[in-house]
Amino acid sequence: MSLTDQLQPLFERLPEDKRAARRAFWDRLVAEGFPGTKHERWRFTDLAGAVAEPPTSPGPAQIELPSFEGLRRVGFINGHTQSVDDRERLEAPATSVSDPSDLVNAALAASGLQWQPEGDDTALHLCTRSTEGSVHLRHRIHVPTGAHAVLYWDDLAETDADFGTQTLEIQLDDNARLDVARSHLNNAGGPQLLRSEARLAAGATLNMTGFDAGSGLSRHNLQIMLDAPGARVLLNGVYAPFAKGHIDTFASVDHASRETVSRMHFRGLGMEKGTGLLTGRVHVHRDAQRADSDQQLAGLLLSPKARINAKPELEIYADDVVCAHGNAIGQIDENALHYLQTRGIDRATARAMLISGFAAETLAFPANEGAHADLLKALDNALQHADWSETP
């Protein structure tokens, strides 16, 4: 049974008006199918056998959601809203889909958050929880000209969750700024597909810091379009699969205009039998003269059975640019361990210090202390799966 055959009942269960509004996306999905391992961008992540049984519709659940000072909380539990008023509930379908992998969400997502920061409402905590069934949400953030907003997206998929998708659409107008922190813990039985896409106008700034961990299968597509002069993006991230977890991140930045800036810094931690994959792609268009881009990718293997594969990609069609990249994957530096041990620190503690320091610096998020502390807490929880004593 194909993935679309398995998902067909979910589409048919949508209310008639929502099903009609999404029919074109569903028909495209049926006709085109879902990207498989023959597609270069999906060669290491095979969904064909990842959905063992047809996904089910989730039921309501009662969960106590966390709160953070300085952030107004809105929540979605199994796709059902918590503290979301009507004007913030996004029920309209996607306007367009440029990536075939987003067709599932465009066809099945019937709810989500719609937020435009204004006045005193400029800092938000988006809390999403999946405890069972197949959850599909689509969120849309629009930061108007000159505004500055903060978003913390805190996402958890628990063991009984089926195949789920979420898409975050971001539009930044001229000279707008958005600071985003994102935490995704996936221990679900079914794959979880995330997509973050952003379009930046002249002088706009997007700072995005993300942490992905878990024992399930996760795929995160980031697509950033720097559409006008002076647009800039900073992407920081840590991915930490454990048990038999599989985390695949495809981060793409398009420099479509002159004098645009991008920074991409990712760190991977391979634990137990986990697999971490990271592709960082930068595309500098012909008209993007004086573009400035830098990619720095690094990974630590903390288990002999873990795997990390990180690959930077550059496509440059302009001749007046500054583009650089670096990529390094290895193990704990024995010289650094020895140095700390000579200062009276035992080996296990020294190892823990080096691992935590390697990842924690990439999770800096000065826009909100509570969100930053929660990212570090999630990192500490994930690192309980690391072997602190021996080098693989």
Side-chain angles (χ1 to χ4, degrees), residues 31 50 53 60 88 101 110 120 133 238 259 288 296 311 343 346 368:
E53 299 179 0
E88 292 183 326
S101 65
D120 295 330
V238 174
E259 298 175 352
Q296 297 299 327
K311 181 178 70 168
R343 297 302 185 268
D346 65 85
N368 184 271

Side-chain angles (χ1 to χ4, degrees), residues 312-355:
E313 296 181 357
L314 290 172
E315 293 183 46
I316 303 173
Y317 298 97
D319 55 13
D320 183 11
V321 301
V322 177
C323 292
H325 69 274
N327 186 18
I329 298 173
Q331 301 170 357
I332 293 293
D333 186 345
E334 286 294 329
N335 291 329
L337 276 176
H338 176 72
Y339 174 82
L340 291 175
Q341 288 178 276
T342 62
R343 297 302 185 268
I345 301 173
D346 65 85
R347 183 178 177 84
T349 302
R351 184 170 165 81
M353 291 172 61
L354 291 173
I355 296 171

Side-chain angles (χ1 to χ4, degrees), residues 19-318:
R19 191 167 63 249
R22 292 157 176 77
R23 170 65 66 179
F25 294 122
W26 177 258
D27 290 344
R28 272 188 62 189
L29 178 63
V30 172
E32 299 177 15
F34 200 86
T37 53
K38 292 183 179 180
H39 294 74
E40 177 62 25
R41 297 183 183 182
W42 287 83
R43 60 180 299 195
F44 297 112
T45 300
D46 186 6
L47 296 182
V51 184
E53 299 179 0
T56 60
S57 298
Q62 296 295 322
I63 300 175
E64 184 176 351
L65 301 179
S67 298
F68 300 97
E69 184 176 354
L71 299 175
R72 178 173 66 89
R73 186 188 67 205
V74 298
F76 291 84
I77 301 176
N78 291 346
H80 302 280
T81 59
Q82 301 281 323
S83 305
V84 181
D85 61 33
D86 289 341
R87 68 183 177 87
E88 292 183 326
R89 187 178 293 111
L90 177 63
E91 297 187 348
T95 54
S96 64
V97 172
S98 59
D99 189 327
S101 65
D102 194 33
L103 284 172
V104 174
N105 183 271
L108 297 180
S111 186
L113 172 71
Q114 180 172 261
W115 182 50
Q116 179 170 310
E118 56 185 2
D120 295 330
D121 183 30
T122 58
L124 193 72
H125 172 207
L126 172 59
C127 188
T128 53
R129 296 290 185 268
S130 301
T131 65
E132 63 175 29
S134 184
V135 175
H136 304 272
L137 294 168
R138 197 172 195 94
H139 313 293
R140 191 170 293 160
I141 312 295
H142 177 203
V143 184
T145 299
H148 177 198
V150 177
L151 173 68
Y152 178 36
W153 181 12
D154 167 25
D155 180 56
L156 170 63
E158 297 184 3
T159 307
D160 292 332
D162 292 338
F163 176 48
T165 67
Q166 291 192 67
T167 293
L168 174 64
E169 301 176 356
I170 297 172
Q171 175 65 50
L172 302 186
D173 290 346
D174 291 352
N175 298 311
R177 173 175 167 175
L178 179 63
D179 296 320
V180 180
R182 187 185 57 80
S183 175
H184 172 66
L185 176 60
N186 175 24
N187 294 322
Q192 304 297 304
L193 307 185
L194 306 178
R195 178 173 174 83
S196 300
E197 54 184 63
R199 302 196 76 99
L200 280 63
T205 299
L206 174 64
N207 298 318
M208 181 177 285
T209 299
F211 178 71
D212 295 88
S215 59
L217 188 157
S218 296
R219 165 78 179 213
H220 187 198
N221 286 347
L222 294 100
Q223 176 68 56
I224 312 298
M225 294 294 298
L226 305 178
D227 287 331
R232 44 189 306 129
V233 62
L234 170 61
L235 299 177
N236 284 338
V238 174
Y239 52 101
F242 53 78
K244 295 182 180 180
H246 180 106
I247 297 176
D248 184 357
T249 301
F250 186 90
S252 178
V253 176
D254 276 77
H255 290 258
S257 185
R258 59 184 174 82
E259 298 175 352
T260 48
V261 178
S262 68
R263 297 290 183 266
M264 193 183 297
H265 301 150
F266 283 93
R267 300 288 183 267
L269 298 171
M271 296 174 285
E272 297 175 329
K273 297 180 180 180
T275 297
L277 307 168
L278 188 286
T279 300
R281 172 183 175 272
V282 171
H283 180 189
V284 181
H285 294 239
R286 190 174 305 277
D287 294 332
Q289 302 297 338
R290 294 188 294 280
D292 183 351
S293 173
D294 182 59
Q295 293 184 69
Q296 297 299 327
L297 314 179
L300 277 180
L301 290 169
L302 305 177
S303 164
K305 296 184 179 180
R307 185 163 67 102
I308 290 179
N309 186 350
K311 181 178 70 168
E313 296 181 357
L314 290 172
E315 293 183 46
I316 303 173
Y317 298 97

